Amino acid sequence: MHHTQSIGASALARLSVAPCLLMTSMAMAGVVDDSKASLELRNFYLNRDFRQESARQAKAAEWGQGFIARFESGFSEGPVGFGLDALGELGIKLDSSRDRRGTGLLPFDPASKEPVDAYSELGLTGKLRVSQSVVRLGTLQPWLPVALYNDTRLLPSTFQGGMLTSQDIEGLTLDAGRLTRSNLRDSSGRDEIGYGTARSDAFNFAGGSYAINPQLAISYYYGQLDEIYRQQFVGLVHNQALPGGFGLRSDIRYFDSRGDGSRRAGEIDNRNFNGMFSLSHGGHKVSAAWQSLSGTSAFPYLNGGAAYVVNLVTLNDFTRADEDSWQLRYDYDFAAQGIPGLTFMTRYVDGRNVRTANTGNGEEWERDTDLAYVVQNGSLKGLSLRWRNLSFRSGNGLTTDIDENRLILGYTLALW
């Protein structure tokens, strides 16, 4: 009798566990079914010629191959969904030397100055979703006015921390979070978050954007790099269809940056008002931009990041203290001529009134040209080829002169 009861109890246990396993399997189905993965291949050659005879290094020239693997899971079923994302990055030296280092493609040994053969990073991000709000913890790549990751070399930079993004209210996106570490675009290490040579415990941020209508959006963000600086941003973007098939886009941005706490990076005092207006018709687009800085310091932004300003171009961002700069730009999409995938861009940026320790009237300018093609059909569909050429000149105490070429081949393979 006792034996019969044991068999019955065991069967009952199995019957009770089975529905739990089935429910768990169903709950986790969304994690796998809605997942996606990709592998991006990026081949990058950069040649930089320093035009001054007195330069310590005549040129910088490096060639590397980058691999960027991304995995993004779905969310488990239920009112609270869980998921996990992963990012793997590997950079391999194809050509470089100690006397041609410093392009930002490859890290080098501080003692020997010899570029490394390879560098890598693995980042994991746990995420939780409630309704239309998502919390992410781990490796982050924020694209916000006060915290913008850098993706202009072989591998993109990353940050470590936590971030909440909420879209529960139609038209409104809210962001808030805390960043504690940064991984630079040419590094395998995670450094303390900071600005310049100053380090901080954390960068805290909050803000959002609101689409008043399909044509008009406004935004506000606040960021605080603890004990270094605090920053406010206000932005407006407006798109307007005009008669005759023309389109006008207005993008206006304003930053107010001040010192915070013990001011580990020195006194921060900067106002940055910048904007761009673009007129498009068919394959043509003509843009004009300006940038006006005031205060006693340069415009601050996070190490490992980039400046969210309209005059951030291929090499320079024109954010020195008191600098005024303007830009003229022309884009053309050859799809209008029956050649889809082929695009052209050229621009000129001129900066004046730069104030440094050596001058109160520094000048600098940059001219960029981009020619790119993305294969549209066949076995190589999606392969991109890009040539970037630039010239940079400066004067009145700003001594860097550069001619540069970049050749970039990219291909992203969807794994599933």
Side-chain angles (χ1 to χ4, degrees):
M1 184 68 175
H2 177 73
H3 179 68
T4 304
Q5 288 178 337
S6 297
I7 294 176
S10 177
L12 181 61
R14 288 196 298 269
L15 288 173
S16 63
V17 169
C20 294
L21 292 175
L22 179 59
M23 291 178 64
T24 302
S25 177
M26 292 176 61
M28 297 302 292
V31 175
V32 177
D33 293 345
D34 296 334
S35 68
K36 56 185 178 180
S38 65
L39 176 63
E40 180 184 351
L41 310 177
R42 186 180 296 179
N43 190 281
F44 205 126
Y45 173 74
L46 193 154
N47 186 302
R48 179 177 293 167
D49 182 8
F50 298 98
R51 304 295 296 177
Q52 297 90 339
E53 294 183 1
S54 60
R56 289 178 295 178
Q57 186 174 329
K59 69 174 183 177
E62 295 183 304
W63 181 26
Q65 175 65 50
F67 299 88
I68 306 167
R70 300 180 186 273
F71 169 78
E72 183 178 338
S73 80
F75 290 93
S76 59
E77 300 294 334
V80 179
F82 298 90
L84 179 69
D85 297 343
L87 172 68
E89 299 181 346
L90 172 63
I92 298 175
K93 179 181 72 176
L94 298 179
D95 181 61
S96 184
S97 65
R98 58 182 299 172
D99 61 337
R100 292 185 284 114
R101 71 187 191 279
T103 65
L105 289 184
L106 302 166
F108 55 87
D109 183 86
S112 67
K113 309 301 182 185
E114 192 69 34
V116 303
D117 292 329
Y119 64 109
S120 61
E121 179 191 2
L122 175 62
L124 299 176
T125 308
K127 56 187 182 181
L128 179 152
R129 182 184 67 188
V130 179
S131 187
Q132 297 300 310
S133 297
V134 178
V135 175
R136 292 178 172 85
L137 296 174
T139 297
L140 304 172
Q141 292 184 310
W143 193 264
L144 304 173
V146 294
L148 184 69
Y149 81 94
N150 191 309
D151 192 17
T152 59
R153 291 295 191 277
L154 193 62
L155 302 177
S157 65
T158 64
F159 294 94
Q160 297 293 307
M163 179 175 174
L164 164 68
T165 301
S166 175
Q167 295 179 316
D168 285 293
I169 301 175
E170 184 178 358
L172 177 65
T173 299
L174 297 174
D175 301 288
R178 180 180 178 91
L179 307 177
T180 57
R181 295 271 174 176
S182 62
N183 179 270
L184 307 186
R185 63 192 183 189
D186 57 349
S187 171
S188 294
R190 293 189 175 99
D191 303 320
E192 289 180 295
I193 199 92
Y195 165 60
T197 59
R199 297 295 180 263
S200 174
D201 292 332
F203 177 76
N204 304 299
F205 62 92
S209 61
Y210 179 63
I212 298 175
N213 56 51
Q215 291 76 41
L216 177 64
I218 57 174
S219 57
Y220 170 82
Y221 282 87
Y222 175 82
Q224 178 210 22
L225 186 57
D226 192 35
E227 303 295 336
I228 298 180
Y229 72 79
R230 47 192 168 86
Q231 187 174 77
Q232 297 187 78
F233 167 83
V234 178
L236 179 149
V237 176
H238 183 252
N239 292 286
Q240 180 66 53
L242 301 176
F246 287 88
L248 176 65
R249 177 180 174 86
S250 306
D251 186 347
I252 300 173
R253 311 171 186 182
Y254 176 75
F255 288 90
D256 188 308
S257 306
R258 315 274 176 161
D260 182 73
S262 60
R263 291 167 168 76
R264 295 175 185 172
E267 186 60 37
I268 303 293
D269 176 50
N270 181 273
R271 258 70 59 207
N272 186 338
F273 186 39
N274 61 97
M276 175 177 282
F277 297 94
S278 301
L279 184 66
S280 59
H281 184 269
H284 303 275
K285 183 168 71 172
V286 178
S287 303
W290 86 98
Q291 205 164 280
S292 179
L293 279 68
S294 61
T296 60
S297 73
F299 174 73
Y301 53 92
L302 297 175
N303 291 345
Y308 185 70
V309 294
V310 295
N311 281 349
L312 170 64
V313 287
T314 304
L315 180 71
N316 198 21
D317 55 26
F318 296 86
T319 57
R320 300 174 187 261
D322 269 350
E323 185 165 13
D324 295 319
S325 58
W326 56 267
Q327 175 186 166
L328 287 178
R329 169 173 173 160
Y330 173 72
D331 294 78
Y332 187 72
D333 187 342
F334 283 85
Q337 297 293 326
I339 313 175
L342 181 62
T343 57
F344 170 80
M345 183 279 297
T346 187
R347 63 191 167 202
Y348 176 83
V349 186
D350 185 281
R352 304 291 177 95
N353 307 318
V354 177
R355 181 167 48 79
T356 69
N358 301 320
T359 182
N361 191 31
E363 300 178 357
E364 53 187 1
W365 60 262
E366 179 174 336
R367 184 190 67 245
D368 301 332
T369 301
D370 268 32
L371 185 64
Y373 179 68
V374 179
V375 178
Q376 301 292 296
N377 301 292
S379 58
L380 296 179
K381 182 179 179 180
L383 175 68
S384 64
L385 304 92
R386 182 179 298 272
W387 168 56
R388 287 180 168 170
N389 171 268
L390 71 87
S391 293
F392 176 81
R393 299 291 185 271
S394 61
N396 294 345
L398 306 180
T399 58
T400 301
D401 289 347
I402 291 173
D403 287 338
E404 183 176 294
N405 284 284
R406 305 181 186 187
L407 297 175
I408 310 164
L409 276 70
Y411 182 73
T412 299
L413 175 65
L415 301 178
W416 70 78

